[in-house]
C-alpha cells in the first residue's frame, strides 16, 4: 500500500482525536463520565429510606455519613486529582479514577456493615475526584481552539444534568427493591467507560507540576472533623466529647492547612486567593447555592416517600420541576445580568432559592404535589440565575493563567457546599423529628430515624411517626431557607463593598 494512502487511512481512523466524528464521540464519553460521578451525589439520597430500614440498621448520623463520605472526599481531592492528571498523564489518571470508582461501588454493594459501606463510599469519592477534572483536561487537549468554548459549555452543563439523571436513573434502579443495586449498577457502567476511554481518549503531554499531599490530607481531615461535630450533635449531645473534639480538631487542622499552604511552593489551594473580595464572595455564594440545593435533595427524597407515599421511581421524577428553569432559562441569564447588573442578578438568585425553600417548608402530607412542584420551580429559577453568574464571577476574578485553579475552586465549593447542606439539614431534621415524636415512643425506644421509630411501635401508630417526620422536615427546610437568605445577603453586601475598594492583585504561585 502506498505510504500516502496509509497516512490518509490512519488520519481517518475514529481513534484520531482531530477528526470531528472522533471529537463528538470523545465528548459523549467524557460527558458520560461526568454524569456518572455527579449523578451518584444525587442518587444516594433516594436510597436513604431503604438504607434506614435495611439489615445494616444505620443510625441517623450514619445515614448522613453514607451520603456525605463520598461528597466530602470528592470535594477535597478534586483539585489534587487535576494536578495528578497534569503530572502523571490525564488519560491514565482518568482510567485509574474510573477503576477506583468501580472498586468502591463494588465494596459498597457487597458491604455487610456500615463501616465497610463507608470505606467503599470513600474509595468511590477518590475515584470521582480523579475523574471529574481530567475529563475536561482530556477534552481541551483534543479539540481545536475554535471548539473549546462550546466544549466547556457542554461539559459544564453535564455537571447540572448529572444531578437530574442521578435522581431519575437512581429511582429506576432502586425501584427493583434494594439499595445495593444502586452501587452494583455503577460497576459495569464504570468498566464500560474504562474500555471506551482507553480506546478513544488521546494521550496528552505531562507537566512537572508538584503535588501537595500534605495539603490534601489536612483539608480532608479538617472537613471531616467539621462534619463530625455537626452530624454527631443530635445523638451524642452538643456538649459531648466527640462533638467538641470534632469542632476543635477542625479549627486546628484548618489553621495548620492555611499555614502549610502559605509556605509550600505549589499549594493545593493558595489561601491568598481569598484576598480578592469578588472571588471570596462568589465562592461563598457557590457554596451557599449547593448547600441549599443538596439539603433539599436529601430531605426531599425521604419526604416524598414517607410523607407523600411515593414510590422510589416517582420520587426520583418528583424533583424534575426544579430543573425546568435550568433547561429553559440558562441561556438567558447572561443577557439579564448585563441589563440589571451582577449584584441584582445575584440578589434575585438567592431570593428565589431562599423563598422557594421556605415555600417547600409549608408542605405536608395533604399538600397537592402540584403546589409542591411550583415551589420547586421557584427554587430552580434561583439556581438558574446563580450558577452561571457565580461561575463567571469566580472565573473573572482570576487572571487567565489561573483558569485551572478557578475550575478546581468551583468544583470544590460546589461539592463542599453539598456535603455541608446534607450534614446541616440531617442534623436539624433528626433533632426536630425526635422532639416531635410522642413522648412514650421517644422515652421507651429513643429512635433517631423513621425506620427505628416504625420498628419500635405498632402499625396503628405509624401516622404519628410520619407526622413527626413531616414536622421535622418543615423545620429543617425553614432553617435552610433562612440560612440561604442570610448568606446570600452577605454575598451581595460583600460584592457591593468590593466595588468601592482598590482591586487586590494576587500573583499566581511560583
Amino acid at each position: 500500500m502506498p505510504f500516502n494512502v496509509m497516512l490518509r487511512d490512519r488520519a481517518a481512523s475514529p481513534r484520531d482525536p482531530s477528526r470531528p466524528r472522533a471529537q463528538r464521540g470523545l465528548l459523549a464519553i467524557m460527558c458520560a463520565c461526568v454524569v456518572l460521578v455527579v449523578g451518584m451525589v444525587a442518587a444516594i439520597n433516594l436510597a436513604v429510606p431503604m438504607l434506614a430500614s435495611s439489615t445494616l440498621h444505620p443510625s441517623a448520623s450514619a445515614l448522613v455519613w453514607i451520603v456525605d463520605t463520598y461528597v466530602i472526599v470528592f470535594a477535597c481531592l478534586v483539585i489534587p486529582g487535576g494536578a495528578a492528571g497534569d503530572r502523571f498523564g490525564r488519560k491514565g489518571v482518568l482510567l485509574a479514577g474510573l477503576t477506583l470508582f468501580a472498586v468502591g461501588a463494588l465494596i459498597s454493594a457487597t458491604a455487610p456493615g456500615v463501616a465497610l459501606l463507608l470505606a467503599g463510599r470513600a474509595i468511590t469519592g477518590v475515584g470521582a475526584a480523579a475523574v471529574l477534572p481530567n475529563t475536561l483536561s482530556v477534552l481541551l487537549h483534543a479539540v481545536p481552539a475554535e471548539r473549546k468554548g462550546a466544549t466547556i459549555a457542554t461539559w459544564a452543563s453535564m455537571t447540572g444534568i448529572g444531578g437530574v439523571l442521578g435522581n431519575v436513573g437512581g429511582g429506576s434502579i432502586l425501584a427493583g427493591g434494594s439499595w445495593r443495586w444502586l452501587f452494583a449498577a455503577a460497576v459495569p457502567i464504570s468498566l464500560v467507560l474504562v474500555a471506551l476511554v482507553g480506546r478513544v481518549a488521546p494521550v496528552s503531554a505531562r507537566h512537572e507540576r508538584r503535588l501537595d499531599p500534605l495539603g490534601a490530607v489536612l483539608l480532608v481531615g479538617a472537613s471531616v472533623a467539621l462534619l463530625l461535630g455537626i452530624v454527631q450533635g443530635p445523638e451524642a449531645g452538643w456538649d459531648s466529647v466527640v462533638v467538641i473534639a470534632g469542632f476543635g480538631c477542625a479549627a486546628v487542622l484548618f489553621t495548620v492547612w492555611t499555614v502549610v499552604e502559605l509556605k509550600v511552593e505549589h499549594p493545593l489551594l493558595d489561601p491568598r486567593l481569598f484576598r480578592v473580595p469578588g472571588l471570596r464572595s462568589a465562592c461563598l455564594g457557590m457554596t451557599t447555592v449547593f448547600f441549599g440545593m443538596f439539603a433539599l435533595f436529601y430531605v426531599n427524597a425521604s419526604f416524598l416517600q414517607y410523607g407523600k407515599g411515593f414510590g422510589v421511581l416517582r420520587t426520583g421524577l418528583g424533583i424534575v420541576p426544579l430543573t425546568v428553569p435550568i433547561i429553559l432559562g440558562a441561556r438567558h441569564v447572561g443577557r439579564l445580568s448585563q441589563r440589571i447588573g451582577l449584584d441584582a442578578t445575584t440578589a434575585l438568585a438567592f431570593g428565589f432559592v431562599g423563598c422557594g425553600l421556605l415555600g417547600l417548608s409549608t408542605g405536608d402530607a395533604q399538600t397537592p404535589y402540584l403546589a409542591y412542584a411550583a415551589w420547586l420551580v421557584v427554587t430552580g429559577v434561583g439556581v438558574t440565575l446563580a450558577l452561571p453568574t457565580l461561575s463567571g464571577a469566580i472565573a473573572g476574578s482570576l487572571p487567565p493563567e489561573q483558569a485551572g485553579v478557578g475550575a478546581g475552586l468551583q468544583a470544590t465549593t460546589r461539592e463542599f457546599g453539598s456535603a455541608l447542606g446534607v450534614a446541616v439539614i440531617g442534623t436539624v431534621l433528626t433533632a426536630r423529628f425526635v422532639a416531635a415524636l410522642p413522648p412514650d415512643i421517644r422515652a421507651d425506644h429513643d429512635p433517631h430515624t423513621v425506620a427505628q421509630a416504625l420498628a419500635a411501635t405498632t402499625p396503628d401508630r405509624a401516622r404519628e411517626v410520619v407526622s413527626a417526620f413531616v414536622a421535622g422536615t418543615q423545620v429543617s427546610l425553614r432553617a435552610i431557607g433562612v440560612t440561604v437568605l442570610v448568606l446570600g445577603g452577605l454575598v451581595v453586601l460583600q460584592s457591593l463593598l468590593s466595588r468601592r475598594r482598590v482591586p487586590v492583585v494576587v500573583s499566581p504561585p511560583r
Side-chain angles (χ1 to χ4, degrees), residues 130-364:
V131 168
L132 185 66
N134 288 294
T135 53
L136 182 58
S137 298
V138 166
L139 283 171
L140 294 182
H141 172 75
V143 300
E146 64 271 15
R147 293 283 304 159
K148 289 187 187 297
T151 298
I152 292 172
T154 302
W155 180 90
S157 69
M158 291 301 109
T159 62
I161 293 172
V164 180
L165 295 180
N167 273 286
V168 177
S172 302
I173 294 167
L174 291 168
S178 173
W179 59 268
R180 295 183 185 274
W181 293 8
L182 179 63
F183 300 113
V187 178
I189 296 173
S190 303
L191 296 179
V192 168
L193 288 173
V194 167
L196 292 174
V197 170
R199 179 175 176 79
V200 305
V203 176
S204 58
R206 303 183 184 185
H207 303 280
E208 289 301 319
R209 178 180 173 183
R210 293 185 181 180
L211 303 180
D212 181 19
L214 178 58
V217 170
L218 288 171
L219 184 58
V220 172
S223 302
V224 170
L226 174 63
L227 294 183
L228 179 68
I230 295 172
V231 172
Q232 296 299 136
E235 291 189 14
W238 292 103
D239 58 349
S240 65
V241 173
V242 66
V243 172
I244 294 173
F247 287 131
C249 286
V252 171
L253 290 174
F254 274 124
T255 301
V256 174
W257 174 79
T258 302
V259 172
V260 168
E261 295 298 274
L262 288 172
K263 291 184 177 181
V264 72
E265 185 178 1
H266 297 280
L268 169 71
L269 178 61
D270 191 348
R272 284 176 287 258
L273 291 172
F274 295 104
R275 292 170 54 199
V276 181
L279 180 67
R280 189 167 60 240
S281 62
C283 286
L284 175 61
M286 188 71 79
T287 301
T288 302
V289 169
F290 278 81
F291 170 87
M293 188 162 60
F294 276 82
L296 171 61
F297 284 170
Y298 182 79
V299 79
N300 170 77
S302 296
F303 172 74
L304 291 182
Q305 291 182 68
Y306 288 134
K308 304 290 289 181
F310 284 15
V312 67
L313 176 57
R314 193 178 175 191
T315 298
L317 294 170
I319 199 68
V320 169
L322 178 77
T323 68
V324 172
I326 299 174
I327 296 170
L328 298 180
R331 66 180 183 273
H332 303 297
V333 174
R335 289 196 295 272
L336 176 67
S337 183
Q338 290 176 356
R339 177 171 295 184
I340 68 174
L342 177 67
D343 295 325
T345 305
T346 305
L348 276 176
F350 285 110
F352 274 104
V353 173
C355 291
L357 291 170
L358 291 175
L360 288 165
S361 73
T362 63
D364 56 26

Side-chain angles (χ1 to χ4, degrees), residues 65-86:
W65 281 115
I66 290 169
V67 175
D68 259 0
T69 298
Y70 172 79
V71 184
I72 199 63
V73 173
F74 189 1
C76 294
L77 296 186
V78 69
I79 294 178
D86 290 342

Side-chain angles (χ1 to χ4, degrees), residues 6-79:
M6 291 175 64
L7 287 178
R8 184 186 64 203
D9 290 344
R10 183 172 182 180
S13 168
R15 288 189 180 187
D16 186 349
S18 67
R19 305 294 295 175
R21 184 176 178 182
Q23 290 170 8
R24 289 193 296 270
L26 179 64
L27 177 61
I29 292 167
M30 294 300 105
C31 287
C33 294
V34 173
V35 168
L36 175 65
V37 299
V38 173
M40 184 59 78
V41 179
I44 186 61
N45 295 297
L46 299 172
V48 167
M50 287 185 181
L51 284 160
S53 58
S54 70
T55 55
L56 299 183
H57 303 298
S59 64
S61 60
L63 286 173
V64 174
W65 281 115
I66 290 169
V67 175
D68 259 0
T69 298
Y70 172 79
V71 184
I72 199 63
V73 173
F74 189 1
C76 294
L77 296 186
V78 69
I79 294 178

Side-chain angles (χ1 to χ4, degrees), residues 299 303 357-365 367 425 428-429 432 467-481:
V299 79
F303 172 74
L357 291 170
L358 291 175
L360 288 165
S361 73
T362 63
D364 56 26
T367 301
I425 201 166
V428 177
L429 175 61
R432 298 311 304 168
S467 295
F469 174 78
V470 171
T473 298
Q474 292 173 328
V475 172
S476 59
L477 280 173
R478 200 171 302 132
I480 296 297

